[in-house]
Amino acid sequence: MEPRLEVRNITRAYGGRAVVRDVSLKVMPGQVTCLLGPSGCGKSTTLRIIAGVDRPDTGEIRMDGTVIVNQGVFVPPEQRGTGLMFQDFALFPHLSVFDNVAFGLTGTRTEKRLRVRELLEKVGLVRYMDNFPHELSGGEQQRVALARALAPRPRIMLMDEPFSGLDNRLRDGIRDETLSILKDEGTAVLLVTHEPEEAMRMADDIALMRKGEIVQQGAPYNVYNAPVDREAAAFFSDINVIRGSVQGLLTETAFGKFMAPGQADGANVEIVIRPQHLKIDFDRGGQGPAPSPEHGVWARGIVERARFIGKESLVEFRMEFDGSSLKATVPSVFLPKPGTPLWIAIRRDRCFVFPVTPKKDWRRRED
């Protein structure tokens, strides 16, 4: 099957500073792809280039195999068959809900009315078609904006942080409802967000951006469970980092030895593990549990702080072997007092071993 949207090696610089660097991605019909990354990483610029409100310096964009942007071609935004949704719903305040949704439609009034009613039924707002935007809640306005964007049956929906202005209580329901409607319409979706939870909840495919580049792309499960580096792991959740050096393909730590394949002797590495994959056991007269293949060697830590944070408890430790700090999360309520000694082990199958590399100077544009 041909991609609905294909972006090939686009770059964009402002004042000599590269904002988007060699970005490539594909979105299939009916697929939701998330451009995920921190503020300022270039994801919104990428979306604007695809929408046609900005031009790339180099690269190519295709829709259903047809070139719409390259060095010699530029199809205007209104001819691209894309729908747009942004943080600001941008509804016309002087138009009714019906007229807002019908705004971009062509055809007879009967055809328009049928399409508007169809979409307002999908978003549950038929009874409000004669109301004005100021008479609606934020969630209702968002659903009107979705209906308006879908009304012309766009081949691609471009969404830039569309749920960020919604109350947390409404956000999950609105996201799920929006995703269901987009899937029903068979629309290819490119969603920009800085929230990993939103990307994991909505996306079929995640493109993780950092400083203008896509550093990793894949299904949510794979991006989360096989991060390419420490920063990628840390973007999705809190992490613990245990440092060591390699000798004979092994790194010695207080938790036992870890494999470090491909690393030269003397290389510094970081062993990364998420707080939920630490295991805690009680101190028994200064002794901990015996080592096991699953958890390796246990190390003793002293509780510094414990907090209940909803569905789980967060316990912070100061490790006896080197004074480093580690965090563990425990389901339900577990609140040991500060100063309590406990033993900690780490899931071997949930650890990531990364080399320590010099920080790259991203400020210099590479030609």
Side-chain angles (χ1 to χ4, degrees):
M1 183 184 295
E2 195 167 54
R4 176 61 48 83
L5 170 68
E6 185 174 8
V7 177
R8 298 181 179 179
N9 310 109
I10 63 171
T11 63
R12 185 70 171 104
Y14 299 103
R17 184 177 68 90
V19 176
V20 175
R21 303 162 58 94
D22 199 31
V23 165
S24 298
L25 57 86
K26 296 178 182 180
V27 186
M28 307 302 292
Q31 176 182 318
V32 178
T33 294
C34 278
L35 276 178
L36 174 66
S39 297
C41 72
K43 55 188 187 296
S44 292
T45 300
T46 301
L47 201 74
R48 289 197 299 271
I49 290 171
I50 296 168
V53 295
D54 197 356
R55 295 191 184 210
D57 297 322
T58 60
E60 181 177 274
I61 302 173
R62 293 173 177 258
M63 288 186 180
D64 291 321
T66 301
V67 174
I68 62 167
V69 175
N70 63 19
Q71 293 302 297
V73 175
F74 184 83
V75 175
E78 65 274 12
Q79 296 178 19
R80 296 190 181 190
T82 56
L84 303 173
M85 283 189 67
F86 299 100
Q87 298 176 33
D88 180 357
F89 307 140
L91 300 176
F92 300 112
H94 63 290
L95 297 183
S96 67
V97 167
F98 175 90
D99 289 331
N100 263 284
V101 177
F103 183 79
L105 291 177
T106 58
T108 67
R109 182 165 180 80
T110 298
E111 290 170 337
K112 290 181 181 180
R113 179 167 288 276
L114 287 173
R115 179 59 173 163
V116 171
R117 178 173 285 276
E118 174 193 1
L119 288 168
L120 290 178
E121 285 177 350
K122 284 187 175 183
V123 299
L125 293 175
V126 170
R127 65 188 183 277
Y128 296 118
M129 69 164 55
D130 295 323
N131 290 66
F132 289 86
H134 72 271
E135 298 174 304
L136 306 179
S137 69
E140 289 164 346
Q141 290 182 37
Q142 195 273 350
R143 284 183 279 167
V144 174
L146 173 64
R148 184 180 63 182
L150 285 172
R153 291 186 171 88
R155 292 179 291 170
I156 299 169
M157 179 68 76
L158 305 176
M159 309 175 78
D160 192 356
E161 308 267 9
F163 311 107
S164 61
L166 297 178
D167 186 280
N168 286 336
R169 294 178 296 106
L170 297 173
R171 193 174 299 170
D172 287 348
I174 295 291
R175 283 190 299 216
D176 291 347
E177 182 180 84
T178 298
L179 183 60
S180 176
I181 293 170
L182 290 167
K183 291 284 189 180
D184 287 346
E185 291 280 319
T187 309
V189 180
L190 186 62
L191 170 70
V192 162
T193 182
H194 66 276
E195 297 183 8
E197 180 184 348
E198 183 164 88
M200 297 286 287
R201 189 182 188 104
M202 295 194 69
D204 301 302
D205 195 63
I206 293 175
L208 182 62
M209 290 193 73
R210 186 190 308 148
K211 296 185 172 74
E213 295 183 349
I214 293 178
V215 295
Q216 185 172 6
Q217 186 169 358
Y221 178 89
N222 294 330
V223 174
Y224 183 87
N225 289 292
V228 292
D229 55 25
R230 171 184 167 177
E231 288 183 74
F235 194 79
F236 286 91
S237 72
D238 288 340
I239 59 171
N240 294 298
V241 179
I242 301 163
R243 295 175 176 83
S245 59
V246 177
Q247 296 296 329
L249 301 182
L250 295 173
T251 301
E252 183 75 49
T253 75
F255 296 97
K257 295 180 179 180
F258 288 80
M259 294 290 294
Q263 302 301 315
D265 278 3
N268 294 321
V269 295
E270 295 174 327
I271 300 165
V272 173
I273 186 166
R274 295 189 167 102
Q276 64 266 33
H277 297 137
L278 270 63
K279 186 174 178 63
I280 299 172
D281 208 331
F282 294 102
D283 185 69
R284 300 173 179 86
Q287 299 296 317
S292 69
E294 181 181 11
H295 294 104
V297 177
W298 294 72
R300 198 164 87 149
I302 306 300
V303 175
E304 289 201 316
R305 185 165 62 159
R307 293 168 288 164
F308 181 63
I309 53 176
K311 296 179 181 180
E312 59 191 13
S313 299
L314 176 66
V315 186
E316 300 177 30
F317 293 92
R318 179 70 61 185
M319 302 307 297
E320 285 190 340
F321 65 90
D322 65 353
S324 63
S325 296
L326 292 181
K327 296 178 180 179
T329 54
V330 181
S332 191
V333 181
F334 179 66
L335 301 173
K337 294 180 179 179
T340 303
L342 294 169
W343 289 81
I344 303 165
I346 58 180
R347 286 272 304 272
R348 291 304 184 98
D349 61 336
R350 295 294 185 174
C351 290
F352 313 114
V353 180
F354 300 120
V356 177
T357 56
K359 290 187 180 294
K360 186 175 181 179
D361 185 0
W362 295 92
R363 295 170 296 179
R364 182 177 63 85
R365 182 179 180 185
E366 296 177 358
D367 296 321

